[in-house]
Amino acid sequence: MRITENRLLGMGTQASARARRELFEAADELSSGQRVDRPSDDPGAWARGQRLSARLTESSARGVVHQAGRDRLVETDLRLDEMSDILTRGRELALQLSNGTMSAAERAAATQGLAGMRESLRAAMNARDSNGGYLFSGSRTDTEPFDAAGTYFGDTVMVLVTTDASATVGVNVTGSDLTSAGGINPLAAFDALTAAAGANDVPGLRAALQLLGESGDHLAFTRSQVGHRMGLMEQASEIREDQKVVLAQGLALAVGADDLSAAERLARARSALETASALSETLASVLRR
Amino acid sequence: MPGLYTFLSFGSGAVLAQQSGLGSAGHNLANLNTPGFSRTRVDLRSHLGPPLQGGVSAGPMSRYEDGLLSGRERRAAGESGRSRDLLEALSALEGRMASGSGGVPEALNDFFAGLRELEAHPGDPGYRTQLARRAEALAQSIRRTDEALRSSIEESNLRIEGYARRATELAHAFASVNAKIAQNPDPTYLDQRDQIARELSGLVGGQTLGTDGQARFVLADGSVLVDGHRAAAVEAQRRPGPPSIAQLEIVDGAHRSALQTSEGQVAGQTQAQQHMLGMLGDVDTLAFDFANAFNAVHRGFAALDGSSGRDFFQSTATATGAAAGFRVDSAIAADARLIGGAQVGSGPGDNQGFRALGDLASQPLAGGGTRSFLDEAISVGESLGYAVVGADHASTVAQETDQVLAGLRDALSGVSSEEEMARLMAFQRASEASIRFVQTVDSLLGTLLERR
């Protein structure tokens, strides 16, 4: 087959252009660390990358939710612990006051301390979270749940957050659990204790002691539930962290550059370019003669 | 036995023949770098029989050319033009869609992530404002995609209109060269016509039928663009939109007919437009379905001021134009407290609305109820990716075919300076020998005349 000089020159130019393009692509892949940058680089891998990237973003958003849920449960637990402490101290005082050796005057004098404990209990029941929302008012986080009389103004909404695609965990304890509707009423128990102490009513003191004990037990049960939910959140966070690693690896596999292969292609393209350029130069010098 | 005068005639004939050969080789060398040039040759004929009984003469200058190969070159030019323009148009669209801050899938995903985060902070103004911003980014992303598609379609329209003008110019040039060939079938004119035909094929496809001055240029759909010395015009007409689409017509006097071609750059642009129109429809449907599904859920939940029944996104009556009109409700954009995230009657800490809205991310509400909105958005980009890859493969194959045919053409018609130099020298030597022969005969004649 006849091959003219023009054809040879053309072939050399094409080979140079092809090698230059390959060199550019390999260098771009190496510098960006991305094999797939746009859909046409590898449509299937790009789509896989988009889905994995979406799941990673969703996972990060869930991380925010899990963290906030855990924070809220921790704060709730702290406040419930505080309430338990107050109830324990109330029970200890009630036990002393119900002792037959105490005088009426001593019992009357104790009412001031009992009133202080009640206010501390109410303050714990009206506690706010770090964002300023009330912890025990259900969904009405902008409403103080308990007034001075102990009337509840919140609602019974359990705030659920999604832990994964199909599960939810409650991240609040509503104040209704701390009223008669929930089976106990610690504020009313303190009121009864204070009234009995003021009236030197020993049977009343013993009845109030009973109420405080029941409230304490209920709080302990509620705390165990909160602890269980914290455990669920913790578990969900761990699973999410593991998933995140797997997703990131999948993403790197789908769209990330294989440095070794890119470097190999870069070296090959560079060598091809050098050969093509040398060939073109030789041909041009032959033609010049 | 011929006489000396006959020898003189043989000699001068030979000189003329060698001069023709020299002319041909010189012409070839002069056109070494002329695109589309076919090398010429001069056939020398010896006259051995009566009445001359000897001598040599030059035949007409002819081209090294293969009609079959030329036909295949034109067909390849049509496919090359089609695949190249398709690739360019789709790649440009992909570039447009990639520019800016992320595509629709990313924006959609960020938006749903914002909803997810609000589950834990339903009443938080900061998170609400962030969601409103992400919604705005999503709306901008959808509108940007729509704009990218529309401007790409318009760019293809402008190209098609330009191609129509160029095709008309070329058709007239083809007819004009036909007229010249009819008068004088000079190889240069034949080369010119081949070049014109190749460019025409690259633009609108088609073939040359015939080799003389009455050659026709016939398009793939059978319509005749050039018939001998008469050329029709190619005109672009806009089909009303939006988006308006340029369509080509062959105009021959008062007669107009639609040009339907599957070859050439015009076909590449038309096919790219078809793909873009499909994508435009997909993006419109995605925007329409998404706005309606989201609004339907959003209306059922209460804002921080207790109001409910509000649309989150402005919606259109039909899917057509939904992407261009996709916007966040202006009141929500101005005041993120109006985002409905709680059950009606509940307080600001209720997140049931955000959970319900967030769950839309995984529900199969797009693509006719077959996939999620995210999957639909991804599939739009993925289909463009596959289209670009397909066009790239077709373009690579066409380029390879072009190269093979160019190689074959070069092997037949290309000029080799070495060969032509050798021919030049051979003709020069032969010419010198013929001149010596004439001089010898002339001197013999002179001697004879002196002796008389």
Side-chain angles (χ1 to χ4, degrees):
Chain A
M1 186 169 161
R2 281 178 79 241
I3 297 181
T4 64
E5 302 91 340
N6 273 340
R7 179 84 191 128
L8 277 175
L9 262 178
M11 284 160 74
T13 311
Q14 278 161 18
S16 291
R18 202 179 304 125
R20 196 165 285 129
R21 196 172 56 241
E22 278 167 16
L23 190 75
F24 172 76
E25 283 172 3
D28 188 46
E29 191 176 320
L30 265 178
S31 63
S32 70
Q34 291 284 99
R35 182 179 65 86
V36 179
D37 200 31
R38 47 177 64 192
S40 60
D41 290 337
D42 182 343
W46 178 83
R48 251 193 329 279
Q50 290 287 316
R51 288 191 184 95
L52 288 167
S53 177
R55 289 185 64 189
L56 266 172
T57 309
E58 193 198 352
S59 177
S60 295
R62 280 197 202 284
V64 171
V65 174
H66 292 169
Q67 186 60 49
R70 259 204 322 271
D71 289 350
R72 195 180 167 108
L73 286 169
V74 166
E75 282 180 272
T76 303
D77 186 53
L78 279 173
R79 295 305 176 184
L80 289 173
D81 185 37
E82 195 180 330
M83 288 178 216
S84 290
D85 278 353
I86 295 168
L87 285 174
T88 304
R89 281 192 281 124
R91 281 176 68 190
E92 285 168 3
L93 192 56
L95 204 60
Q96 286 174 20
L97 293 174
S98 60
N99 191 318
T101 58
M102 293 289 275
S103 67
E106 283 172 324
R107 286 188 179 118
T111 54
Q112 212 169 2
L114 284 170
M117 279 188 201
R118 183 193 184 277
E119 269 319 292
S120 298
L121 180 66
R122 192 171 77 90
M125 289 162 75
N126 281 337
R128 293 170 186 256
D129 60 22
S130 54
N131 296 318
Y134 289 100
L135 276 172
F136 297 103
S137 58
S139 74
R140 294 185 187 161
T141 48
D142 54 347
T143 305
E144 189 178 70
F146 295 97
D147 68 0
T151 311
Y152 179 59
F153 289 96
D155 58 25
T156 57
V157 173
M158 168 72 80
V159 178
L160 301 171
V161 296
T162 317
T163 49
D164 61 37
S166 58
T168 53
V169 168
V171 291
N172 68 331
V173 170
T174 65
S176 61
D177 275 357
L178 308 175
T179 64
S180 303
I184 58 153
N185 195 332
L187 285 175
F190 260 100
D191 286 342
L193 181 62
T194 310
N200 197 26
D201 175 7
V202 175
L205 281 169
R206 290 196 177 126
L209 185 62
Q210 172 77 18
L211 285 175
L212 286 174
E214 284 170 5
S215 294
D217 291 347
H218 187 79
L219 277 183
F221 175 69
T222 307
R223 280 192 71 195
S224 74
Q225 281 187 321
V226 169
H228 175 63
R229 288 190 225 156
M230 281 163 66
L232 288 175
M233 294 295 281
E234 198 63 48
Q235 213 174 11
S237 286
E238 282 169 14
I239 292 170
R240 190 186 58 78
E241 284 299 329
D242 289 347
Q243 276 178 341
K244 210 170 159 181
V245 173
V246 174
L247 288 171
Q249 283 172 346
L251 185 63
L253 272 175
V255 301
D258 178 351
D259 287 353
L260 205 63
S261 127
E264 195 184 316
R265 282 193 293 124
L266 186 72
R268 219 169 32 224
R270 188 175 289 147
S271 156
L273 183 62
E274 280 166 8
T275 310
S277 300
L279 194 73
S280 295
E281 271 174 33
T282 309
L283 200 62
S285 71
V286 167
L287 287 175
R288 270 198 297 271
R289 273 184 225 147
Chain B
M1 175 79 182
L4 279 179
Y5 283 109
T6 309
F7 281 131
L8 201 57
S9 168
F10 287 171
S12 61
V15 170
L16 284 174
Q18 308 306 341
Q19 291 296 332
S20 290
L22 276 172
S24 159
H27 179 66
N28 288 346
L29 275 173
N31 288 289
L32 184 70
N33 293 317
T34 306
F37 176 76
S38 299
R39 67 190 168 118
T40 57
R41 66 171 180 233
V42 171
D43 291 325
L44 300 183
R45 285 181 294 213
S46 58
H47 304 282
L48 294 174
L52 281 174
Q53 292 186 329
V56 63
S57 68
M61 201 185 277
S62 61
R63 296 191 305 157
Y64 280 94
E65 191 259 348
D66 180 341
L68 188 65
L69 183 62
S70 297
R72 291 193 65 183
E73 269 193 295
R74 281 189 285 273
R75 192 162 297 123
E79 173 54 17
S80 184
R82 183 200 70 81
S83 57
R84 192 178 58 243
D85 263 48
L86 179 63
L87 177 62
E88 277 177 13
L90 293 178
S91 296
L93 170 64
E94 192 185 30
R96 276 197 182 103
M97 285 174 68
S99 68
S101 52
V104 176
E106 197 179 319
L108 195 58
N109 194 33
D110 279 348
F111 177 67
F112 276 117
L115 279 169
R116 194 63 77 198
E117 287 172 7
L118 266 165
E119 268 188 31
H121 306 280
D124 190 312
Y127 279 92
R128 282 175 169 263
T129 304
Q130 201 174 42
L131 181 73
R133 284 198 193 120
R134 288 179 181 190
E136 189 50 48
L138 171 63
Q140 278 177 7
S141 173
I142 289 175
R143 291 203 303 273
R144 202 167 42 239
T145 302
D146 181 81
E147 281 161 19
L149 283 162
R150 285 174 197 276
S151 48
S152 292
I153 288 169
E154 181 54 24
E155 194 176 296
S156 285
N157 279 338
L158 296 174
R159 290 221 177 186
I160 289 170
E161 285 163 354
Y163 293 156
R165 285 191 293 275
R166 181 67 184 147
T168 303
E169 285 170 13
L170 289 170
H172 282 98
F174 191 101
S176 155
V177 176
N178 261 350
K180 287 178 186 167
I181 291 169
Q183 286 174 357
N184 170 22
D186 188 296
T188 310
Y189 295 144
L190 295 169
D191 277 349
Q192 264 181 30
R193 192 175 62 187
D194 275 357
Q195 280 283 88
I196 292 167
R198 203 170 296 131
E199 194 183 340
L200 253 180
S201 299
L203 278 177
V204 291
Q207 272 292 2
T208 307
L209 295 181
T211 53
D212 58 7
Q214 292 301 317
R216 301 197 301 170
F217 192 87
V218 182
L219 299 174
D221 66 353
S223 46
V224 178
L225 187 59
V226 184
D227 187 1
H229 308 174
R230 216 165 119 244
V234 181
E235 284 184 11
Q237 298 289 331
R238 289 289 186 111
R239 190 187 73 192
S244 73
I245 299 290
Q247 287 182 325
L248 295 186
E249 287 182 346
I250 303 279
V251 183
D252 188 3
H255 182 255
R256 282 177 174 268
S257 60
L259 168 60
Q260 314 252 322
T261 180
S262 56
E263 295 172 0
Q265 290 174 277
V266 165
Q269 294 294 342
T270 307
Q271 287 168 10
Q273 279 186 329
Q274 289 307 314
H275 193 90
M276 290 167 194
L277 285 170
M279 284 179 72
L280 201 58
D282 289 345
V283 175
D284 268 346
T285 306
L286 173 69
F288 183 72
D289 289 347
F290 180 74
N292 284 332
F294 200 87
N295 287 342
V297 176
H298 186 261
R299 280 194 293 267
F301 291 95
L304 286 181
D305 65 358
S307 65
S308 63
R310 188 185 296 278
D311 280 350
F312 192 102
F313 293 104
Q314 291 176 11
S315 56
T316 50
T318 60
T320 308
F326 191 86
R327 278 177 176 75
V328 180
D329 175 74
S330 54
I332 286 178
D335 182 1
R337 288 176 309 151
L338 295 176
I339 298 172
Q343 280 277 27
V344 176
S346 291
D350 183 28
N351 65 3
Q352 290 182 66
F354 292 123
R355 277 176 30 226
L357 290 168
D359 285 346
L360 291 175
S362 56
Q363 290 173 21
L365 297 167
T370 57
R371 52 187 159 202
S372 69
F373 292 116
L374 180 69
D375 279 339
E376 180 68 6
I378 290 173
S379 84
V380 171
E382 192 181 8
S383 80
L384 176 61
Y386 278 117
V388 173
V389 168
D392 190 32
H393 286 171
S395 179
T396 305
V397 170
Q399 275 177 25
E400 296 290 335
T401 309
D402 272 354
Q403 290 306 317
V404 170
L405 290 171
L408 290 173
R409 184 182 193 283
D410 187 72
L412 178 69
S413 311
V415 179
S416 159
S417 60
E418 261 180 57
E419 274 180 17
E420 296 306 328
M421 289 299 284
R423 278 183 71 212
L424 206 62
M425 282 175 70
F427 280 122
Q428 203 164 350
R429 296 273 181 275
S431 182
E432 282 167 11
S434 301
I435 290 168
R436 289 279 296 275
F437 178 77
V438 170
Q439 283 172 344
T440 307
V441 173
D442 183 47
S443 113
L444 275 171
L445 268 174
T447 308
L448 281 173
L449 285 172
E450 277 170 18
R451 286 191 180 174
R452 271 176 64 185

